Amino acid sequence: MKKVIAVVDIGKTNKKIFLFDDSFNVVSQNYRQFNEVKDDDGFPCDDLDAIEEWILSEIRRIQSEGNYKIKAINFSTHGASLVYLNEKGERLTPLYNYLKPLELADYSFIYDANGGVGEFSRQTASPAYGMLNAGMQMIWLKNKKPDVWKNVKYILHYPQYLSYLFTKEITADYTSIGAHTAIWDFDHMQYHKWLKDEGIALPEPCNGKVAIKAEVNGEPIAIGSGLHDSSSSLIPILESNGDDDFVLLSTGTWIIAMNPFSKETLTAHQLKNNCLCFMTPLKKQVKSSMQFLGHVHEVNTKAFCDHYDLPENYFLNVGLNKKLCEDIISEGKQVFFPNKVPEDYMADLGQLKRYDSFEKAYHQLVYEISYLVFEGIQLILDSDSNLRSIYITGGFNKNDIFVECLSQMLPEQKIKFPNVRNASALGAALLMKQYL
């Protein structure tokens, strides 16, 4: 049987399981989409029961078919998702959605006790994002659902919960803790003191390269502790790039620009402009810009198609017009988002009357998204940066207009497409290579 590493890769839309061989090629993959369910407040959330059952049954199926011998399993998931367990290790809550509304005013006491919103956000490298800050989810549960909270014994980030399904061990990792959670003190590189003040105890983070040996359906398998998908996607490029400075654009629903070479402390100005820090599995800062621009693209292309009476995915048929890109960049006007992206993420659709075709309007939209990405990249560079390359992973590396706009705005940098697909899954597999 071929020896493999299995990686469970959980995105907001697609849930995937990959098998990597000893050359880190994908030899098998399977994916599912799951319908959302409602949480105990009636808000949509992932169906964690169904996802758990699918993961466990898929691993059983792979083992029983006998084509591959699983030597290790690791996990890569989106962030801002917590699982609460009682003393018996039983799950107490749904997997609350990070888009669930949260009134920051209700949690101002945390900010006020720690220097105010600006200073606390700087210390934790976490803009005040509401439920996107996992720490605020903890306080929300403690204050809004005390009958549930009184039974909480353990709090796990999503990747570590999936690992727990196989090991029954309580773990934490730096990439999940460092992902805009508001629980990590980046000044002292330890949990922030507000957790102790609130009586919240969390597990100490472990080395992401060290697995736990567990018996899975009668077979010994090394189980990784899992990691945050954006941080995971950096690993293959860090291993192959050498010493040249680069920025990784991880694109999807979010477009995240990640600079693993920044040594300067996050500033208040950067925080106010959607910058934050992630961490690597080995506790290194990764200065980043995080913008909800994939969502902006999605909702506005639908609106544009409605306006021009075209099929919903018509934008996929739009070819690159380099001259049009040059003209738009030369003019430099923000037509659809003159005052940045509004809270509803919608462009000023009244401006569509300026364009006699979907193609022209779409080029303008993608330029404006590209420009926001360009600004984000500039913000995360250190003063002495020697940026050589921009790597683009995810859906937008197939968008020729986006790539062309960035190339024209960054003429001294080389735009590259990593020779890796499924970068977050591959990063999780690479951490387990000693177990093959």
Side-chain angles (χ1 to χ4, degrees):
M1 285 189 289
K2 185 185 283 284
K3 296 177 182 179
V4 295
I5 295 170
V7 174
V8 178
D9 189 38
I10 303 294
K12 283 295 282 181
T13 303
N14 293 316
K15 324 301 179 187
K16 305 174 184 178
I17 295 180
F18 296 93
L19 300 183
F20 291 89
D21 65 14
D22 56 5
S23 297
F24 292 94
N25 296 314
V26 175
V27 295
S28 177
Q29 61 181 294
N30 193 11
Y31 78 95
R32 279 272 314 267
Q33 293 184 354
F34 293 84
N35 292 325
E36 289 186 318
V37 294
K38 299 289 181 70
D39 67 17
D40 46 355
D41 299 313
F43 196 84
C45 68
D46 274 357
D47 186 349
L48 193 50
D49 287 330
I51 293 168
E52 282 181 35
E53 176 54 35
W54 176 70
I55 292 169
L56 295 172
S57 66
E58 278 296 295
I59 296 299
R60 276 196 305 271
R61 178 187 63 78
I62 294 164
Q63 290 176 296
S64 64
E65 287 179 352
N67 298 318
Y68 302 102
K69 185 168 185 61
I70 299 174
K71 299 295 290 180
I73 305 174
N74 210 359
F75 312 87
S76 167
T77 84
H78 59 78
S81 301
L82 298 174
V83 177
Y84 304 90
L85 305 178
N86 64 17
E87 193 165 4
K88 296 179 180 177
E90 300 165 333
R91 184 157 53 84
L92 292 169
T93 67
L95 191 71
Y96 292 116
N97 192 328
Y98 60 63
L99 297 177
K100 191 180 176 81
L102 183 147
E103 290 296 329
L104 283 175
D106 292 344
Y107 307 94
S108 59
F109 65 94
I110 295 289
Y111 293 99
D112 293 344
N114 292 281
V117 172
E119 174 58 15
F120 178 72
S121 298
R122 186 202 63 76
Q123 291 169 11
T124 59
S126 302
Y129 280 158
M131 289 289 272
L132 268 169
N133 302 132
M136 294 304 107
Q137 293 186 30
M138 299 176 198
I139 293 298
W140 169 82
L141 188 72
K142 181 182 179 184
N143 290 352
K144 297 294 185 181
K145 300 179 187 290
D147 289 342
V148 175
W149 181 259
K150 69 183 181 184
N151 294 313
V152 172
K153 177 68 174 177
Y154 307 109
I155 303 173
L156 295 176
H157 294 268
Y158 199 177
Q160 285 72 61
Y161 175 67
L162 297 183
S163 177
Y164 170 84
L165 294 177
F166 293 91
T167 67
K168 301 306 177 188
E169 296 281 346
I170 303 299
T171 58
D173 93 293
Y174 290 110
T175 68
S176 298
I177 291 166
H180 50 81
T181 59
I183 62 175
W184 189 257
D185 182 342
F186 276 82
D187 288 345
H188 301 98
M189 295 304 279
Q190 62 188 26
Y191 280 124
H192 198 282
K193 67 180 183 66
W194 78 262
L195 292 167
K196 186 176 181 181
D197 294 343
E198 288 293 320
I200 298 174
L202 298 174
E204 284 302 311
C206 58
N207 184 332
K209 292 184 175 182
V210 177
I212 296 169
K213 297 292 180 66
E215 190 169 288
V216 180
N217 303 315
E219 297 181 14
I221 296 178
I223 308 296
S225 57
L227 67 167
H228 182 267
D229 54 7
S230 295
S231 297
S232 186
S233 65
L234 267 175
I235 294 170
I237 303 172
L238 283 168
E239 290 211 356
S240 63
N241 185 70
D243 297 326
D244 286 347
D245 285 15
F246 68 84
V247 163
L248 170 64
L249 285 184
S250 175
T251 69
T253 303
W254 295 86
I255 295 184
I256 305 174
M258 308 177 77
N259 177 9
F261 300 94
S262 173
K263 295 179 174 61
E264 295 176 359
T265 305
L266 197 67
T267 67
H269 174 69
Q270 289 167 331
L271 272 166
K272 288 177 183 175
N273 288 278
N274 297 303
C275 294
L276 64 160
C277 288
F278 291 99
M279 280 197 291
T280 71
L282 300 179
K283 203 179 176 181
K284 302 287 187 184
Q285 163 185 292
V286 181
K287 191 174 288 183
S288 305
S289 164
M290 183 168 121
Q291 301 182 78
F292 208 29
L293 296 176
H295 181 73
V296 169
H297 178 271
E298 179 183 359
V299 297
N300 286 291
T301 51
K302 286 179 181 176
F304 283 24
C305 288
D306 287 345
H307 176 85
Y308 290 99
D309 195 24
L310 294 167
E312 189 173 287
N313 288 327
Y314 181 80
F315 73 94
L316 294 171
N317 302 317
V318 177
L320 167 64
N321 184 329
K322 283 192 177 186
K323 179 63 166 59
L324 183 54
C325 286
E326 289 172 9
D327 293 344
I328 291 171
I329 291 170
S330 176
E331 192 171 7
K333 282 189 178 177
Q334 312 305 310
V335 175
F336 294 119
F337 302 108
N339 301 303
K340 301 295 185 183
V341 178
E343 288 187 2
D344 65 1
Y345 306 109
M346 294 305 300
D348 179 358
L349 299 178
Q351 298 299 325
L352 287 172
K353 65 180 182 290
R354 298 165 57 133
Y355 302 97
D356 59 12
S357 71
F358 177 94
E359 286 76 8
K360 291 177 182 177
Y362 183 67
H363 273 71
Q364 177 68 35
L365 173 68
V366 175
Y367 156 70
E368 293 188 37
I369 289 172
S370 305
Y371 187 75
L372 291 169
V373 173
F374 167 78
E375 287 187 319
I377 291 171
Q378 300 305 307
L379 278 168
I380 61 172
L381 299 179
D382 286 358
S383 55
D384 61 351
S385 172
N386 185 28
L387 181 64
R388 300 284 184 85
S389 306
I390 309 287
Y391 287 93
I392 306 178
T393 64
F396 276 81
N397 70 5
K398 302 177 190 70
N399 189 312
D400 293 339
I401 302 170
F402 176 79
V403 173
E404 178 65 24
C405 288
L406 274 183
S407 298
Q408 291 192 29
M409 286 186 273
L410 292 160
E412 295 183 11
Q413 282 74 41
K414 189 168 184 179
I415 305 293
K416 296 182 179 180
F417 307 101
N419 190 24
V420 293
R421 300 184 65 182
N422 310 300
S424 60
L426 177 57
L430 286 168
L431 286 183
M432 297 289 101
K433 61 186 175 183
Q434 66 175 302
Y435 299 100
L436 259 180

